[in-house]
Amino acid sequence: VFQGVFAQDPQDNRWEQTFLLLPGRDPVRVSPGIGKTHSAVFVPGDGLKLAFGSTQHTGTTPPRETATVGDSADHAMDLFLFDLGTGATTVLAEGPGFDGEPSFCPDGRLAFSSARDGDLEIYVIDGATSSASPRRLTQRGGADDAPRVAPDCAEVLFVARGTDGDALMSVPFAGGDARALLADASRVEGLDWSADGSRVVFASDLAGPGGPPDLFSIAADGSDLRRLTDSPAAERHPRLTPDGLSLILTVAEDGPP
């Protein structure tokens, strides 16, 4: 599943929609085509459910050429669950401000980023069908986003944004103090856990701040930082395959992917 531009309607503002790609077939759009979608992931289980952030409730789509990260369109984003079998869409989380970037435990518990309290922070809820109120995990003054739940569900990896750069952080899923894996990670553009939870892979311009991001990995305890790629192309959004032997990523040689 991936994000792509949907512009069949000449009046469409060319915001990203969510597509499903199966071997030997053309991509199929599974998001509604209304508003903007973001960060789609499969929900653990039978492989027939997707979760993603969307502005479909409001249809908010500012002109793409003038929009920026954190645009008012994002402020209207809620979390939705889409059933590939029935075509039904239900709400996972909604409220004032941005709700997006879902990440699941194998048992269905969910972490996501939200600005519902006025600052972008990490929240959790009990599961994909839970009616429980989201519980706030992070309490920092700056923006926290890009949550990724550890394979054992014990902690949630996230990026702490700051004016002097980003930090790779982790906080217990049950709640508690956050710890830094890498206090100065420059600009992080995507991250993921290894299948056994022993390492984290991430994209960053750590090797040359302001330059194109490369891929790095670091042990879960913050030791053994390794550079994985050295390329003039911008490499972002790494995802490790379940066997841990391959990486899926986006690559752009001329501008953003």
Side-chain angles (χ1 to χ4, degrees):
V1 62
F2 66 97
Q3 286 178 207
V5 172
F6 174 67
Q8 292 182 4
D9 183 342
Q11 301 303 313
D12 194 297
N13 283 315
R14 296 181 62 81
W15 278 109
E16 290 90 348
Q17 296 294 314
T18 298
F19 292 81
L20 182 66
L21 181 62
L22 298 174
R25 300 185 184 182
D26 292 332
V28 176
R29 179 172 57 87
V30 295
S31 55
I34 303 171
K36 171 186 178 182
T37 65
H38 190 272
S39 302
V41 295
F42 280 101
V43 178
D46 57 13
L48 292 177
K49 294 181 177 64
L50 291 170
F52 53 81
S54 174
T55 63
Q56 66 191 63
H57 272 171
T58 63
T60 308
T61 52
R64 183 179 174 85
E65 63 273 14
T66 62
T68 60
V69 174
D71 195 283
S72 59
D74 291 340
H75 301 165
M77 185 167 287
D78 296 311
L79 273 180
F80 293 86
L81 183 70
F82 179 77
D83 192 310
L84 294 169
T86 66
T89 301
T90 55
V91 176
L92 275 178
E94 62 180 340
F98 172 90
D99 289 324
E101 302 183 308
S103 178
F104 287 88
C105 290
D107 62 11
R109 286 179 292 165
L110 167 67
F112 64 102
S113 57
S114 176
R116 61 184 54 218
D117 290 330
D119 188 23
L120 192 61
E121 302 287 352
I122 307 303
Y123 290 74
V124 295
I125 56 177
D126 290 336
T129 59
S130 174
S131 59
S133 298
R135 174 168 51 88
R136 182 170 169 175
L137 281 188
T138 57
Q139 308 290 334
R140 294 182 346 101
D144 298 327
D145 65 4
R148 297 290 293 173
V149 180
D152 63 0
C153 301
E155 54 187 329
V156 181
L157 184 72
F158 67 95
V159 180
R161 309 288 183 184
T163 56
D164 296 329
D166 299 340
L168 283 180
M169 306 281 291
S170 183
V171 62
F173 196 101
D177 294 334
R179 63 181 180 89
L181 278 71
L182 187 61
D184 183 6
S186 194
R187 176 68 183 176
V188 176
E189 300 192 48
L191 65 165
D192 198 15
W193 289 94
S194 63
D196 63 2
S198 65
R199 298 194 67 84
V200 170
V201 61
F202 63 100
S204 172
D205 61 355
L206 188 61
D214 290 303
L215 300 187
F216 296 81
S217 76
I218 192 170
D221 64 2
S223 65
D224 192 25
L225 177 65
R226 304 176 188 176
R227 185 174 183 178
L228 302 180
T229 62
D230 183 358
S231 168
E235 298 164 335
R236 299 180 173 94
H237 314 303
R239 289 291 182 268
L240 280 158
T241 54
D243 61 10
L245 299 179
S246 300
L247 273 168
I248 300 171
L249 66 150
T250 61
V251 180
E253 297 184 2
D254 298 306

